[in-house]
């Protein structure tokens, strides 16, 4: 601690005496008058009851969730952050996944994609604040909810103050805490908050909220040198773990049923959050650390495009504005960019894609909902009055100000500035679709006004919400009221430019204080006006296309939503402190993405991405924009009738020929030599543990949970050596692997059958006939190949669900109770917890023979293999492995996301395939369950300028064999891009694996 900080803490200890009114928290206030609070450890991040302050500046923290481990290409972080920043957000919240950092107790590694430093560095570069959420429990649809596999055999109840659990997490917290502490804002880094635990909100009897654990964990973070405020996310505003510095909560009001994307819950716009906030933590920020930004989708689900509809632009309008109605000044959307459950990241509830239907797709494209969010985020970023607002009529908003009981209108007053008000209007019943007509009667600085004053009525479409402002300052312009919403505004060359929008064809009215005569200076729209008292002018218009109205020194851009989506406010710099775009701003219309603007000696240099030829309209200070460049290329500019700059940018999207996978040379090898008589499993782990602390009580003589032997991911193989009694007629076995898992059983080399899985069952007991009973006294082996879909999460404390085993729960020989297994053998990935591939991490490989040998890696010599394609497949049950390679030559300056795609096979439906790109497992496909058929692979995993190795494992679960119906590479988009050069992630080549069996 430096000297100033000590002085600061002493000072505030003195001031704080007696000031903290909330009994649950021990908070020190900066001064008796302003109510600003700090944790006493630093002064960069403080708060009061209205909002956070960063470096003394009050701000809306509008954040999106991104998981570094779900995008294993460090050089792409900047692209994602820039897109988030361009949308108007200023922060990113991220989980850290303990299980991949410490796969073996005490063996912590930040190698390969696990290095967090590039994530911190990119955030800093983009001007994004970070909220670190290192768990230790994270949930996150991640295997074991983020816990390491060895937790499944570690005694003690996890997520409690049990000594064994505390001992388990201590090393990890020290290691990760030190990394976070080094990147705090107090040291010039981007981290402003650190979350302790995750949704510590639900307990199974006899367990209950463990205050001792809460205290110890918080202290453990502080002991690593973390000084920024510690937060937590209650699963709902339920008052759990309020001893953190700034408590907050989560909400997913529209649920996760993506298969009914237009069915909304009727009570989905709750006002109870405000009363709960007042009940538990009235003196701190109303902070929502997770709010629904999309939805996860499970095996057999309806696919992420449907989740993007469930949580699309209409959802964003209704639900986010409902949060705004509760004066929420910290709002984190989970997820803003979901990424990929590559390798074994997923828990059984999700498949390879973790696109989440988010604003930014898995392959980093922008959905419509990105543009809608841009309107909301940018409005908040230029509306400081919102930050000190309080809702006035919570609980009595229905029919308020409109007299229409189908509508709720919440009045937010800026109780500090005492001038501005916001009226958030939305349907009372979110499940309905009817259009509602309304007039608003609002108190304003010129008395009560009923809007529209010029005539007609306002309308709210079903599933829509609007924020109407009153006495709102946009530079020197006072907007007395506006029914059209404000997308952004800026003062440019002394003119206030206000961007107003509504749905296409809607009637709107905006009143400003002005004595000038308005005129339409551009566009085909017309206006009607009326002079109100107090020198106020009401202007009525419909929002159709784009019309520009000039009133004195104010320019009103009147837009329909589609036009509004094209406007990008940019501040010509990008540093952590440029939160409000109200000084030195530039507003640019046009283009798929505008990343940045800078002005150097009269040249306005814009960077961005385009997917079509675009005509820009640039509203910028004349002196700063004598010339305009876009991605370094100078633009031919002209002046519009109202003085703005227009310029056309033609794009060229070079053709890229992707290799036709079906015409490549493929090599094939058998990946189930285990069933051949000559195979020896001598090097496998002997499953010989007689007891376990695992809460699932074993029923077998030796424990047959793969986790007990250090195998926590991917395919698992079991071998049971037995001596026959001669009367065995079937083998009965219950295997557990998590939903959508499957298994196949062989007696020696003879296939007995499979459970091919469904989307529901996490275990299955099958009876597999033995056609001819083996001879009495003869020795045999049962081989079981099972899938492991990840460990369950551990959401309810005390349930210990993450310890649910993966392996064999029970077995018996039908017809012969006396048959005993002499030896059980097991293998998963080579090395188990002492995994081989330190670059691709502990979850990338499973236990298939091919994986143990490293056949999926580049550089393996398959010259001796036979030719064979996955689309030709195999004609009997078993596992085949295929390899091919191809070159890509994608030029720089473009962003062409590539995916591989399969199609469903109905003729031989029961098979599982895994896909490896340069050694990274980027797809797990279960043909009979689905739904995912397109698997994006990020640039950097795919080498866009050179050689690529592609491999496929094909596990045919039926005696008739299986083949892929089709397999191809596809471009998911063509975008001209200014994204930073992508460096390929290290992809170490094959080398002989010592002791591989
Ligand atoms: C909430 C978790 O905190 C988060 O990790 C993630 O699992 C998210 O849900 C769903 O994607 S849990 C909440 C839905 C009860």
């Amino acid at each position: 601690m430096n000297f100033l900080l000590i002085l600061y803490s002493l000072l505030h200890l003195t001031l704080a005496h007696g000031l903290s009114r909330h009994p649950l928290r021990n908070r020190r206030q900066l001064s008796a008058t302003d109510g600003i609070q700090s944790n006493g450890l630093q002064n960069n991040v403080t708060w009061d009851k209205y909002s956070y302050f960063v470096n003394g500046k009050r701000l809306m923290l509008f954040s999106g969730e991104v998981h570094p481990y779900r995008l294993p290409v460090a050089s792409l972080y900047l692209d994602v952050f820039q897109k988030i920043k361009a949308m108007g957000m200023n922060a990113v919240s991220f989980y850290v996944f303990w299980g991949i950092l410490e796969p073996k107790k005490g063996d912590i590694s930040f190698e390969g994609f696990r290095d967090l430093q590039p994530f911190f560095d990119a955030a800093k570069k983009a001007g994004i604040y970070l909220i670190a959420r290192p768990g230790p429990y994270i949930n996150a649809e991640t295997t074991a909810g983020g816990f390491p596999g060895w937790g499944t055999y570690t005694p003690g109840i996890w997520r409690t103050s049990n000594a064994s659990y505390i001992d388990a997490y201590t090393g990890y917290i020290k290691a990760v805490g030190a990394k976070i502490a080094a990147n705090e804002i107090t040291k010039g880094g981007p981290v402003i908050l650190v979350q302790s635990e995750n949704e510590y909100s639900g307990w199974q009897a006899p367990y209950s909220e463990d205050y001792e654990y809460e205290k110890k964990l918080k202290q453990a973070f502080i002991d690593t040198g973390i000084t920024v405020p510690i937060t937590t996310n209650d699963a709902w505003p339920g008052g759990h773990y309020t001893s953190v510095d700034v408590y907050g909560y989560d909400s997913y009001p529209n649920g996760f049923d993506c298969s009914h994307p237009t069915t909304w819950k009727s009570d989905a716009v709750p006002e109870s959050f405000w009363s709960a906030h007042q009940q538990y933590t009235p003196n701190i920020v109303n902070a929502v650390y997770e709010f629904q930004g999309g939805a996860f989708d499970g095996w057999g689900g309806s696919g992420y495009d449907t989740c993007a509809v469930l949580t699309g632009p209409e959802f964003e309008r209704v639900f986010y504005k409902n949060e705004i109605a509760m004066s929420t000044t910290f709002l984190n959307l989970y997820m803003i960019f979901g990424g990929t459950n590559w390798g074994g990241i997923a828990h059984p509830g999700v498949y390879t894609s973790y696109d989440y239907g988010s604003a930014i797709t898995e392959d980093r494209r922008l959905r419509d909902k990105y543009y809608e969010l841009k309107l909301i985020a940018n409005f908040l970023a230029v509306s400081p009055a919102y930050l000190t607002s309080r809702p006035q009529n919570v609980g009595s908003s229905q029919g308020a100000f409109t007299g229409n009981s189908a509508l709720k209108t919440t009045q937010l007053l800026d109780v500090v500035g005492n001038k501005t008000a916001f009226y958030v209007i939305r349907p009372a019943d979110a499940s309905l679709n009817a259009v509602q007509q309304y007039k608003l009667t609002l108190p304003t600085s010129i008395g009560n006004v009923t809007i529209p004053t010029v005539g007609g009525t306002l309308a709210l479409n079903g599933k829509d919400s609007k924020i109407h402002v009153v006495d709102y300052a946009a530079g020197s312009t006072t907007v007395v009221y506006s029914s059209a919403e404000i997308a952004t505004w800026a003062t440019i060359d002394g003119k206030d430019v206000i961007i107003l929008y509504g749905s296409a064809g809607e009637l709107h009215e905006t009143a400003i204080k002005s004595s000038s005569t308005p005129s339409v200076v551009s566009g085909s729209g017309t206006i009607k006006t009326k002079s109100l008292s107090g020198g106020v002018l009401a202007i009525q218009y419909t929002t159709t296309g784009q019309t520009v109205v000039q009133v004195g020194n104010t320019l009103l851009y009147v837009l329909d939503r589609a036009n509004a989506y094209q406007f990008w406010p940019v501040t010509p710099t990008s540093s952590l402190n440029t939160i409000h775009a109200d000084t030195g701003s530039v507003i640019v219309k046009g283009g798929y993405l505008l990343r940045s603007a800078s002005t150097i000696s009269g040249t306005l240099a814009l960077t961005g991405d385009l997917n079509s030829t675009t005509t820009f309209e640039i509203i910028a200070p004349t002196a700063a924009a004598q010339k305009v460049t876009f991605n370094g290329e100078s633009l031919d500019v002209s002046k519009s009738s109202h003085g703005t700059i227009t310029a056309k940018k033609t794009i060229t999207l070079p053709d890229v020929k992707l290799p036709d996978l079906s015409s490549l040379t493929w090599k094939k090898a058998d990946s189930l030599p285990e069933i051949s008589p000559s195979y020896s499993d001598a090097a496998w782990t002997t499953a010989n543990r007689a007891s376990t602390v695992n809460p699932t009580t074993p029923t077998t003589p030796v424990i047959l949970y793969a986790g007990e032997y250090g195998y926590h991911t991917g395919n698992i193989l079991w071998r049971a050596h037995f001596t026959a009694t001669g009367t065995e007629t079937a083998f009965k076995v219950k295997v557990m692997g998590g939903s959508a898992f499957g298994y196949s059983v062989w007696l020696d080399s003879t296939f007995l059958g499979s459970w091919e899985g469904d989307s529901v069952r996490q275990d299955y007991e099958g009876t597999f006939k033995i056609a001819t009973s083996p001879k009495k006294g003869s020795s045999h082996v049962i081989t079981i190949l099972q899938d492991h879909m990840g460990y369950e999460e551990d959401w309810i404390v005390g349930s210990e669900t993450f310890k649910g085993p993966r392996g064999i729960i029970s077995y018996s020989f039908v017809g012969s109770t006396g048959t005993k297994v002499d030896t059980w053998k097991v293998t998963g990935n080579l090395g188990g917890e002492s995994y081989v591939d330190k670059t691709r991490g502990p979850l990338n490989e499973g236990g298939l023979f091919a994986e143990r040998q490293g056949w999926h890696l580049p550089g393996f010599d398959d010259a001796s293999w036979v030719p064979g394609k996955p689309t030709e497949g195999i004609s009997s049950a078993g596992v085949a492995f295929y390899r091919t390679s191809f070159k890509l030559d994608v030029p720089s300056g473009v962003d062409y996301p590539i995916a591989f795609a399969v199609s469903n096979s109905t003729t031989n439906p029961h098979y599982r395939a895994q896909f490896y790109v340069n050694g990274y497992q980027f797809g797990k496909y279960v043909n009979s369950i689905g739904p995912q058929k397109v698997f994006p692979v990020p640039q950097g995993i795919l080498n866009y300028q050179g050689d690529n190795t592609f491999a496929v494992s094909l596990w045919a679960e039926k005696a008739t064999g299986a083949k892929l119906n089709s397999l191809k590479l596809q471009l998911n988009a063509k975008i001209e891009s200014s994204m930073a050069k992508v460096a390929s992630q290290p992809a170490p080549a094959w080398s002989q694996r010592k002791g591989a069996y």
Side-chain angles (χ1 to χ4, degrees):
M1 206 190 259
N2 70 32
F3 170 70
L4 273 176
L5 213 57
I6 296 171
L7 195 73
Y8 170 84
S9 312
L10 284 176
L11 180 72
H12 293 105
L13 268 173
T14 326
L15 282 172
H17 185 70
L19 286 176
S20 181
R21 265 186 281 145
H22 196 282
L24 289 173
R25 279 183 317 281
N26 171 25
R27 210 167 298 296
R28 297 165 213 141
Q29 298 194 334
L30 284 177
S31 86
T33 50
D34 62 10
I36 298 176
Q37 302 159 60
S38 154
N39 61 359
L41 299 174
Q42 48 78 49
N43 198 19
N44 298 80
V45 185
T46 55
W47 66 95
D48 65 4
K49 65 177 168 183
Y50 302 113
S51 76
Y52 276 106
F53 296 78
V54 177
N55 292 335
K57 189 172 169 81
R58 186 186 285 290
L59 81 174
M60 168 81 198
L61 282 170
F62 203 171
S63 154
E65 183 84 12
V66 176
H67 299 153
Y69 59 92
R70 286 184 157 122
L71 178 60
V73 183
S75 58
L76 284 175
Y77 294 146
L78 184 64
D79 177 61
V80 173
F81 288 148
Q82 285 178 337
K83 284 169 175 161
I84 293 169
K85 176 93 174 179
M87 196 179 64
M89 285 183 163
N90 51 11
V92 160
S93 160
F94 70 103
Y95 280 136
V96 184
F97 176 7
W98 173 14
I100 47 162
L101 297 178
E102 192 180 6
K104 182 176 182 187
K105 188 167 193 284
D107 200 350
I108 298 178
S109 166
F110 290 87
E111 280 167 83
F113 73 97
R114 295 172 290 182
D115 186 1
L116 292 172
Q117 198 54 47
F119 195 75
F120 293 126
D121 294 345
K124 191 172 172 185
K125 193 162 181 192
I128 284 282
Y129 294 125
L130 290 178
I131 295 93
R133 309 202 299 158
Y137 183 68
I138 59 172
N139 210 61
E141 289 72 72
T142 298
T143 180
F147 283 153
W150 49 267
T152 61
Y153 59 79
T154 302
I157 304 296
W158 284 43
R159 305 184 75 193
T160 71
S161 56
N162 181 287
S164 154
Y165 169 60
I166 293 180
D167 171 65
Y169 74 59
T170 299
Y172 161 68
I173 296 297
K174 276 191 185 150
V176 77
K179 304 260 180 209
I180 294 168
N183 288 280
E184 276 193 1
I185 188 165
T186 56
K187 304 195 179 70
V191 177
I192 54 165
L193 298 170
V194 175
Q195 179 181 302
S196 183
E197 251 285 351
N198 188 80
E199 296 195 329
Y200 196 58
S201 313
W203 295 266
Q204 178 175 300
Y207 302 97
S208 59
E209 184 167 2
D210 188 333
Y211 301 105
E212 184 65 16
Y213 169 47
E214 293 179 345
K215 207 174 110 195
K216 286 206 158 119
L217 184 58
K218 181 183 172 194
Q219 192 56 45
F221 283 118
I222 294 170
D223 290 346
T224 67
I226 288 170
T227 67
V228 293
I230 305 286
T231 66
T232 204
N233 63 330
D234 207 350
W236 63 91
H240 305 113
Y241 204 171
T242 50
S243 60
V244 293
D245 294 321
V246 191
Y247 165 89
Y249 53 90
D250 297 352
S251 174
Y252 291 79
N254 227 8
F256 301 94
D257 183 4
C258 300
S259 64
H260 297 96
T262 54
T263 307
W264 289 14
K265 301 202 167 59
S266 59
D267 60 348
V269 286
E271 293 180 274
S272 56
F273 288 0
W274 182 253
S275 18
H277 173 65
Q278 293 298 94
Q279 181 190 342
Y280 294 114
T281 51
N283 296 330
I284 62 168
V285 187
N286 187 14
V288 180
Y289 292 119
E290 274 180 40
F291 194 84
Q292 183 158 21
F296 58 77
D297 192 39
W299 291 101
S302 50
Y304 280 111
D305 287 341
T306 59
C307 302
V309 174
L310 179 73
T311 59
E314 293 177 323
F315 166 86
E316 295 180 313
R317 300 209 278 274
V318 173
F319 289 84
Y320 300 162
K321 288 174 191 175
N322 189 58
E323 292 309 293
I324 291 168
M326 305 298 126
S327 292
T328 310
T329 58
F330 182 106
L331 185 59
N332 174 47
L333 302 185
Y334 185 108
M335 305 288 301
I336 200 70
F337 164 77
T340 309
N341 291 312
W342 63 280
I345 286 174
H347 87 131
V350 290
Y351 44 87
T352 305
S353 176
Y354 197 68
D355 175 273
Y356 216 80
S358 301
I360 304 174
T361 64
E362 181 181 8
D363 54 9
R364 298 173 293 97
R365 285 174 294 133
L366 309 178
R367 283 196 166 99
D368 255 18
K369 55 189 282 192
Y370 173 96
Y371 297 94
E372 185 68 39
L373 206 42
K374 174 154 68 82
L375 298 178
I376 301 172
N378 279 301
F379 168 67
L380 294 175
V382 296
S383 303
Y386 168 69
L387 298 174
T388 46
S389 69
R390 306 274 87 174
Q392 300 298 310
N393 59 331
V394 169
S396 56
S397 61
Q398 193 162 353
F401 304 100
T402 63
N404 181 342
S405 62
L407 298 172
K408 281 184 175 177
T409 306
T410 304
Q411 179 189 47
L412 291 177
L413 294 181
D414 171 8
V415 296
V416 171
N418 273 324
K419 201 175 116 226
T420 307
F422 303 85
Y423 293 85
V424 184
I425 187 163
R426 57 215 185 279
D429 179 343
S431 69
L432 303 178
N433 271 314
V435 182
Q436 296 298 329
Q437 306 291 329
Y438 66 100
K439 287 188 182 182
L440 272 171
T441 303
L442 304 178
T444 74
S445 54
I446 56 162
N448 274 358
V449 182
T450 297
I451 306 161
T453 61
V454 185
T457 56
L458 303 175
L460 187 76
N461 290 328
K463 299 190 171 162
D464 197 1
S465 171
K466 290 173 186 169
I467 302 173
H468 302 311
V469 298
V470 165
D471 292 305
Y472 178 96
S476 50
T477 304
T478 299
V479 178
V480 177
Y481 64 80
S482 181
S483 70
E485 296 187 87
I486 296 175
T488 187
W489 62 267
T491 305
I492 297 169
D493 275 352
K495 269 192 192 144
D496 296 326
V497 181
I498 309 175
I499 313 291
L500 298 163
Y501 69 96
S503 292
E506 271 178 0
L507 180 84
H508 282 291
E509 216 173 88
T510 301
I512 63 172
K513 279 210 168 109
S514 177
S515 51
S516 307
T517 311
S519 61
V520 172
V521 293
S522 159
S524 57
T526 55
I527 53 170
K528 282 185 189 167
T529 60
K530 184 172 171 183
S531 292
L532 308 180
S533 62
V536 172
L537 177 74
I539 307 170
Q540 191 176 86
Y541 49 84
T542 55
T543 44
T544 305
Q546 173 173 325
T547 298
V548 184
V549 180
Q550 176 146 20
V551 199
N553 246 353
T554 306
L555 273 187
L556 302 178
Y557 275 69
V558 171
L559 310 170
D560 58 19
R561 176 163 262 108
N563 274 278
Y565 278 1
Q566 298 173 46
F567 279 76
W568 301 90
V570 270
T571 303
T573 67
S574 74
S575 81
L576 281 174
N577 297 317
T578 54
I579 303 305
H580 287 279
D582 53 5
T583 46
S585 293
V586 172
I587 297 176
V588 179
K589 183 195 181 187
Y592 173 80
L593 169 69
L594 199 83
R595 284 178 200 267
S596 73
S598 58
T599 54
I600 312 141
S601 28
T603 297
L604 174 68
L606 304 174
T607 70
D609 292 19
L610 300 176
N611 59 359
S612 62
T613 290
T614 300
T615 301
F616 290 109
E617 178 173 355
I618 298 157
I619 316 165
T622 308
Q626 294 298 306
K627 284 188 187 153
V628 182
T629 64
F630 186 79
N631 295 345
E633 181 191 319
S634 133
L635 297 185
D636 215 352
V637 298
S638 21
K639 277 254 144 117
S640 72
S641 55
H642 52 290
T644 58
I645 300 164
T646 56
K648 188 172 163 182
K649 164 79 175 83
T650 314
I651 59 160
T652 41
L653 296 171
D655 268 346
V656 164
K657 238 185 98 59
L658 292 180
D660 171 9
L661 293 184
S662 65
S663 60
L664 295 177
T665 305
W666 286 86
K667 289 300 196 72
K668 171 190 173 184
D670 175 38
S671 181
L672 196 66
E674 291 91 345
I675 59 165
S676 91
S678 58
Y679 183 81
S680 164
D681 58 24
W684 290 30
T685 307
T686 304
N688 57 5
R689 288 199 186 194
S691 67
T692 176
V693 297
N694 192 293
T696 303
T697 312
T699 63
T700 51
V702 290
I703 313 302
L704 300 175
Y705 306 162
E708 300 280 312
Y709 305 99
Y711 301 117
H712 305 295
T713 192
N715 295 146
I716 309 283
L717 285 123
W718 298 93
R719 307 244 304 159
H721 296 261
F722 68 96
T723 311
T725 60
T727 59
E728 293 86 353
T729 55
F731 183 65
K732 190 171 173 183
V733 62
K734 184 172 180 180
V735 181
M736 181 149 155
S739 38
F741 90 113
Y743 64 95
S744 298
V745 184
W746 285 263
L747 171 61
D748 304 323
S749 303
T750 307
F751 177 61
L752 298 187
S754 295
W755 161 246
E756 64 273 5
D758 62 27
S759 60
V760 188
R761 268 171 278 198
Q762 51 170 318
D763 56 24
Y764 184 81
E765 183 167 53
T767 302
F768 302 95
K769 270 210 180 116
I770 297 172
T772 321
S773 298
K775 262 209 194 116
K776 184 173 183 207
S778 58
S779 300
H780 301 275
V781 189
I782 293 273
T783 299
I784 301 171
L785 168 62
Q786 75 157 104
D787 217 347
H788 183 323
M789 311 308 282
Y791 286 119
E792 306 297 331
E793 296 172 315
D794 198 47
W795 196 83
I796 296 176
V797 180
S799 69
E800 299 278 89
T801 40
F802 83 100
K803 295 181 177 174
R806 301 295 177 242
I808 294 166
I809 303 300
S810 63
Y811 67 89
S812 59
F813 287 87
V814 179
S816 172
T817 43
T819 310
K820 286 209 175 56
V821 172
D822 306 318
T823 318
W824 273 99
K825 291 278 192 166
V826 60
T827 190
N829 65 302
L830 187 67
E833 290 171 9
S834 302
Y835 60 104
V836 181
D837 191 337
K838 302 290 183 237
T839 304
R840 298 178 186 87
L843 296 178
N844 188 57
E845 289 172 19
L848 289 179
F849 184 81
E851 293 172 304
R852 292 173 349 235
Q853 297 295 325
W855 289 354
H856 56 295
L857 299 172
F860 173 76
D861 183 2
D862 56 22
S864 63
W865 289 16
V866 295
K869 295 176 182 173
T871 44
E872 292 157 1
I874 47 178
S875 52
S876 57
V879 184
F881 201 78
Y882 302 89
R883 299 181 89 255
T884 191
S885 62
F886 54 81
K887 271 195 191 333
L888 287 176
D889 184 15
V890 184
S892 57
V894 298
D895 186 2
Y896 285 5
I898 296 174
F900 61 86
V902 295
S903 53
N904 187 261
S905 168
T906 48
T907 48
N908 59 336
H910 296 300
Y911 68 86
R912 289 163 189 262
Q914 295 180 142
F915 302 87
Y916 309 79
V917 180
N918 296 320
Y920 288 84
Q921 194 258 79
F922 250 82
K924 192 176 173 94
Y925 178 63
V926 183
N927 181 71
S928 57
I929 301 176
Q932 188 177 3
K933 294 192 199 66
V934 177
F935 298 79
V937 184
Q939 180 175 0
I941 293 300
L942 267 174
N943 177 3
Y944 270 35
Q945 236 119 44
D947 296 320
N948 291 280
T949 300
F950 192 76
V952 181
S953 65
L954 176 70
W955 166 6
E957 293 166 299
K958 290 284 174 204
T960 45
K963 63 180 168 68
L964 294 190
N965 209 43
S966 66
L967 176 64
K968 60 177 179 123
L969 288 177
Q970 67 182 47
L971 285 183
N972 276 354
K974 285 176 98 175
I975 297 157
E976 184 176 310
S977 177
S978 57
M979 75 175 176
K981 206 171 152 45
V982 179
S984 275
Q985 208 56 25
W990 181 86
S991 61
Q992 185 75 49
R993 291 186 159 192
K994 249 188 126 184
Y997 47 84

